[in-house]
């Protein structure tokens, strides 16, 4: 299954501070009432951004800030995406326009879901994220460049060494980030396992 | 080589290594529900692929089902569309669907175990993070995303990184009025909501040896709240006794053979773990969450912490939590007025949960405090039928609770059961995230079923042991 190779992502940044931002916040449950992911983009962080009448909340939210419109690189803190397994969360961010997330750490299921839709998640030290966030905040036009192959994030000429599992890095760069092709190919391997497991082969 | 259960199950289900370095892990049992499967079926159709093992896939409908009446069409056309979509997909691909009229519908994590689909030594995946519940049987059970649901449908396998294993021993005896829910809330509070990243939790020790299957499920259910992808208890006689005679369990010679296999899959005595944690049961008290993640919890006789005394990220999260929950640092948690009481969910919606609170409500003749809306939602139609046979529905109704039909209900806001405005809910569910119960300003406090019952009858967060006079004889 040929996929796009993901090697360089360049874009403007948007910073969402706070640890343990859960998937219920990223996409509130009532927006999961859908049979396709289309159209989820506008509901990303809906309840943090809008009040019950659909008006922008008085408390500023970066995603409501015109200055960060069109940003494609999301900067977050630790344990981002914790909570439910809903793929609606990364899907809504992707459809909002996010193409990569850079954070201190990620919840596992969120991380896996993001990679499987081709939205890399890289880790950086908290100070590095704060430094980039500061630059973005002072000048929202600041470009952030992510080099997946080299695992680096570059901002204002400074190169930060980012973290990502080696397997993930290579699968993004080589366009193998959706594993379905390989999983299908090894059908025989699956058969072997199934026939050795009584509960699966008993029928 | 001595091995733990996770390693044995992982090896038995490994079909090979992928070029990314991940393992191709065979998923023995695939559970699906209406929220996270429609897009997966869509992708499958786009690729023109069949379902690889329809006989290993089981479906139910839980999140969107209204609990005041399960009659279709539902008042919400979107909910209607979702159940029709699932029904159609199951029919098209030959998948067993425990539909509303089947008498077997319910929350997926309650249905799997009670039908005997959940078995030791298996791998179980579902597009739902609380799939960790099934680990109570000694299964490696974990939540997956929708694209992975597609992978399982198409290939009966997924790409996955091996987890590390942390053994958590809880030894000693729980005091009366302290429940499985308190054990897991205490574990999460101790190890943190990020503590389990990269780990499977293996629960053991005297407390788990004595626990019933339902209690084990309550603990395993919330493993994910501590960031552990899965949590499990080694299978033992309690497990086999629970499973014997369940519809999807083997019978006759197959049963004997299965039990032998299940015994051999348990962790070997003296095997190694990546980490071991010891917890003393005597240190655990009735626990209540005060914040916006399940790790922000205190014992019923403690006060809301002062964020200033916490460190770094914890301090900021605590400040945000206290503002959202409209609490004051230093204020005792007991006495906080509540608006809504909810007993149900895949954490505490099983028969024993409903029995425990009913027992005390009846014995004391208590009634729900005026101004409190209290609902009891059985986790499945089978739980509902068993509870009604025992007359639990009457006990709850007489006490002023609404007795509902099976579903996820007020655990999350995908059905008509929702908080309104900044209502505060004493809840037996598993997540207290902002907005989780349907109102962006709604407030959730997590606790055991008996603590919810105590809050319902007093109108405020209360120590159930005092409210109901819980005695040594009344609880283990
Ligand atoms: S009861 Fe709650 S946690 Fe459990 S499956 Fe339903 S929505 Fe998810």
């Amino acid at each position: 299954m040929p996929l796009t190779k993901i090697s360089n992502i360049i874009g403007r940044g948007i910073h969402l501070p706070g640890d343990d931002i859960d998937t219920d916040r990223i996409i509130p449950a009532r927006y999961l009432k859908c049979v396709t992911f289309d159209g989820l983009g506008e509901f990303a962080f809906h309840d943090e951004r809008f009040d019950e009448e659909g008006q922008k909340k008085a408390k500023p939210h970066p995603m409501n800030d015109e200055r960060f419109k069109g940003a494609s690189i999301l900067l977050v803190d630790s344990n981002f995406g914790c909570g439910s397994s809903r793929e609606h969360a990364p899907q809504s961010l992707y459809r909002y326009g996010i193409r990569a997330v850079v954070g201190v750490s990620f919840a596992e299921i969120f991380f896996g879901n993001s990679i499987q839709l081709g939205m890399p998640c890289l880790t950086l030290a908290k100070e590095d994220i704060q430094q980039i966030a500061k630059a973005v905040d002072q000048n929202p036009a600041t470009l952030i460049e992510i080099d997946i192959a080299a695992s680096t994030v570059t901002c204002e000429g400074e190169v930060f060494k980012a973290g990502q599992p080696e397997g993930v890095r290579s699968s993004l760069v080589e366009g193998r980030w959706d594993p379905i092709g390989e999983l299908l190919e090894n059908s025989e391997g699956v058969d072997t396992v199934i026939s050795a497991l009584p509960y699966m082969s008993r029928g | 080589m001595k091995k733990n259960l996770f390693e044995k199950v992982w090896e038995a289900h490994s079909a090979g290594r992928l070029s990314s370095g991940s393992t191709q892990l065979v998923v023995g049992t695939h559970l699906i529900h209406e929220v996270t499967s429609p897009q997966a079926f869509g992708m499958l159709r786009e690729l023109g692929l069949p379902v690889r093992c329809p006989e290993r896939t089981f479906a139910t409908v839980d999140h969107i089902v209204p609990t005041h009446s399960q009659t279709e069409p539902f008042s919400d056309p979107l909910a209607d569309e979702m159940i029709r979509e699932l029904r159609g997909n199951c029919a098209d691909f030959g998948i067993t669907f425990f539909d509303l009229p089947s008498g077997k519908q319910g929350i997926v994590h309650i249905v799997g175990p009670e039908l005997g689909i959940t078995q030791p030594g298996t791998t179980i995946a579902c597009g739902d993070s609380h799939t960790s519940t099934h680990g109570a049987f000694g299964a490696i059970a974990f939540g997956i995303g929708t694209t992975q649901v597609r992978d399982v449908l198409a290939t009966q396998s997924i790409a996955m990184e091996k987890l590390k294993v942390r053994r958590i021993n809880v030894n000693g005896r729980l005091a009366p009025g302290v429940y499985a829910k308190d054990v897991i809330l205490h574990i999460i509070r101790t190890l943190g909501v990020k503590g389990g990243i990269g780990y499977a939790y293996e629960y053991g020790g005297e407390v788990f040896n004595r626990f019933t299957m339902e209690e084990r499920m309550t603990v395993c259910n919330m493993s994910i709240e501590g960031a552990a992808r899965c949590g499990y208890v080694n299978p033992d006689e309690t497990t086999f006794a629970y499973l014997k005679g369940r519809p999807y369990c083997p019978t006759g010679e197959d049963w004997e053979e299965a039990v032998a296999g299940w015994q051999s899959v348990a962790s070997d005595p003296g095997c190694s773990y990546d980490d071991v944690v010891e917890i003393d049961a005597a240190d655990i008290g009735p626990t209540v969450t005060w914040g916006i993640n399940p790790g922000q919890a205190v014992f019923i006789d403690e006060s809301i912490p002062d964020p200033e005394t916490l460190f770094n990220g914890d301090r900021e999260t605590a400040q945000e939590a206290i503002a959202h929950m409209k609490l004051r640092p230093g204020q005792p948690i007991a006495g906080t007025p509540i608006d809504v009481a909810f007993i149900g969910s895949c954490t505490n919606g099983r028969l024993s949960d409903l029995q425990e609170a009913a027992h005390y409500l009846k014995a004391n003749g208590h009634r729900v405090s005026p101004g409190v809306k209290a609902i009891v939602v059985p986790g499945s139609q089978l739980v509902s039928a068993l509870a009604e046979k025992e007359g639990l529905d009457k006990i709850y109704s007489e006490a002023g609770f609404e007795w509902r039909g099976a579903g996820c209900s007020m655990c999350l806001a995908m059905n008509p059961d929702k908080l309104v405005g900044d209502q505060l809910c004493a809840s037996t569910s598993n997540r207290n995230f902002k907005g989780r119960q349907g109102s962006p300003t709604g407030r959730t406090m997590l606790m055991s079923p008996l603590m919810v019952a105590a809050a319902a009858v007093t109108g405020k967060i209360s120590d159930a042991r005092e409210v109901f006079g819980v005695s040594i004889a009344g609880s283990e």
Side-chain angles (χ1 to χ4, degrees), chain B residues 62-63 107-109 128 130 221 345-346 408 411-412 430 436:
Chain B
D62 46 15
H63 289 62
I107 305 172
V108 64
H109 312 308
D128 195 287
H130 292 102
N221 173 271
S345 87
C346 57
C408 294
C411 177
L412 101 171
N430 44 46
R436 172 73 177 181

Side-chain angles (χ1 to χ4, degrees), chain A:
Chain A
M1 222 142 294
L3 288 169
T4 340
K5 298 181 178 172
I6 300 176
S7 45
N8 276 299
I9 301 169
I10 302 175
R12 292 189 288 116
I14 177 168
H15 181 216
L16 282 182
D19 290 338
D20 309 317
I21 291 185
D22 58 73
T23 53
D24 277 84
R25 278 206 246 177
I26 301 175
I27 183 87
R30 60 184 183 283
Y31 299 115
L32 311 190
K33 276 193 255 171
C34 54
V35 293
T36 81
F37 290 129
D38 305 343
L40 280 183
E42 58 180 300
F43 304 122
F45 284 98
H46 185 277
D47 293 347
E48 310 261 293
R49 298 165 60 196
F50 305 103
D51 65 16
E52 264 136 273
E53 272 80 57
Q55 301 300 314
K56 281 187 187 171
K57 281 192 170 175
K59 190 176 167 215
H61 190 279
M63 283 183 163
N64 282 348
D65 191 333
E66 287 298 317
R67 298 188 309 144
F68 302 117
K69 224 174 156 190
S72 59
I73 294 172
L74 186 64
L75 303 162
V76 298
D77 289 333
S78 75
N79 200 25
F80 185 78
C82 62
S84 85
S85 64
R86 60 184 73 155
E87 190 168 311
H88 307 67
Q91 288 278 1
S92 74
L93 295 175
Y94 191 86
R95 282 156 209 267
Y96 172 88
I98 300 301
R99 289 296 172 266
V101 193
V102 181
V104 178
S105 65
F106 298 93
E108 264 162 75
I109 305 182
F110 177 89
F111 181 89
N113 284 343
S114 300
I115 300 302
Q116 241 184 346
L117 64 96
M119 181 170 75
C121 296
L122 296 97
T123 57
L124 274 189
K126 195 171 172 86
E127 311 78 74
D128 297 345
I129 289 183
Q130 276 166 349
Q131 186 180 331
I132 300 173
K134 205 170 153 199
V136 166
D137 209 44
Q138 279 164 358
N139 177 14
T142 307
L143 284 182
I144 301 171
E145 183 173 353
I146 298 176
D147 183 334
I148 299 290
S151 282
T152 56
V153 178
T154 308
C155 179
E156 293 189 317
E158 191 161 347
V159 182
F160 302 91
K161 188 76 195 151
Q164 55 180 335
E166 170 50 28
V168 170
R169 188 197 68 85
S170 60
S171 64
L172 288 167
V173 180
E174 292 160 25
R176 293 182 285 99
W177 39 272
D178 184 343
I180 187 137
E182 277 186 75
L183 294 176
L184 281 166
E185 244 164 63
N186 183 26
S187 184
E188 249 173 64
V190 174
D191 280 335
T192 311
V193 169
I194 291 178
S195 52
L197 291 166
Y199 80 98
M200 291 195 75
S201 48
R202 207 179 273 131

Side-chain angles (χ1 to χ4, degrees), chain B residues 10-302:
Chain B
W10 185 268
E11 280 167 25
H13 290 79
S14 295
R17 220 163 224 285
L18 301 170
S19 59
S20 62
S22 301
T23 300
Q24 179 171 11
L25 190 75
V26 171
V27 172
T29 303
H30 187 203
L31 306 172
I32 58 175
H33 63 59
E34 76 282 14
V35 184
T36 52
S37 70
Q39 299 86 351
F41 282 107
M43 299 175 199
L44 203 65
R45 286 201 172 88
E46 246 168 59
L47 295 167
L49 294 169
V51 172
R52 163 89 193 236
C53 298
E55 73 288 357
R56 295 305 313 161
T57 311
F58 303 89
T60 187
V61 55
D62 46 15
H63 289 62
I64 52 111
V65 177
T67 61
H68 50 271
S69 153
Q70 293 191 333
T71 318
E72 290 174 71
F74 305 144
S75 54
D76 178 351
L78 289 174
D80 250 348
E81 188 187 352
M82 291 177 82
I83 190 170
R84 275 189 276 113
E85 184 88 11
L86 181 61
R87 202 172 273 143
N89 285 329
C90 289
D92 289 358
F93 291 97
I95 292 166
T96 304
F97 176 31
F98 305 116
D99 201 348
L100 291 175
S102 69
K104 298 185 181 121
Q105 170 268 341
I107 305 172
V108 64
H109 312 308
I110 294 199
V111 170
E114 69 188 3
L115 293 181
I117 293 168
T118 302
Q119 294 175 14
T122 61
T123 50
I124 302 178
C126 174
D128 195 287
S129 59
H130 292 102
T131 307
S132 58
T133 314
H134 306 261
F137 292 79
I140 297 306
F142 45 83
I144 54 178
T146 291
T147 307
Q148 286 179 305
V149 172
R150 172 206 67 183
D151 295 347
V152 182
L153 289 172
T155 73
Q156 205 60 27
S157 66
I158 55 166
M160 190 159 160
E161 301 283 340
K162 195 170 175 186
L163 300 168
K164 292 180 283 184
V165 183
R166 172 176 292 142
R167 166 85 180 190
I168 301 176
N169 289 311
V170 185
N171 282 311
R173 267 188 183 275
L174 294 176
V178 178
Y179 296 94
K181 184 61 160 288
D182 302 306
V183 171
I184 185 60
L185 285 172
H186 184 72
I187 289 172
I188 298 167
R189 181 184 175 187
T190 308
L191 300 176
V193 289
K194 311 187 231 311
I197 292 183
Y199 279 98
Y201 281 176
E202 177 180 303
Y203 304 103
E206 291 155 8
V207 166
F208 283 91
N209 294 341
R210 283 194 296 265
F211 265 168
T212 63
M213 289 315 295
E214 301 206 342
E215 291 171 312
R216 293 177 187 180
M217 283 188 255
T218 297
V219 173
C220 289
N221 173 271
M222 289 188 69
S223 304
I224 187 71
E225 260 50 74
R229 188 84 179 267
C230 62
Y232 65 89
V233 178
N234 281 303
D236 60 8
E237 292 306 321
T238 306
T239 322
F240 312 144
Y242 176 98
L243 286 172
K244 191 151 194 187
R246 304 247 165 204
Y248 284 85
C249 278
T251 50
E253 272 176 35
D254 285 347
W255 169 261
E256 304 300 328
E257 191 197 320
V259 170
W262 296 343
Q263 279 163 333
S264 70
V265 88
S267 294
D268 297 324
C271 68
S272 65
Y273 297 98
D274 299 286
D275 190 29
V276 179
V277 172
E278 303 287 342
I279 287 176
D280 185 348
D283 292 341
I284 308 176
T287 303
V288 181
T289 64
W290 53 267
I292 53 173
N293 73 49
Q296 293 173 318
V298 288
F299 296 138
I300 184 64
D301 55 4
E302 290 182 287

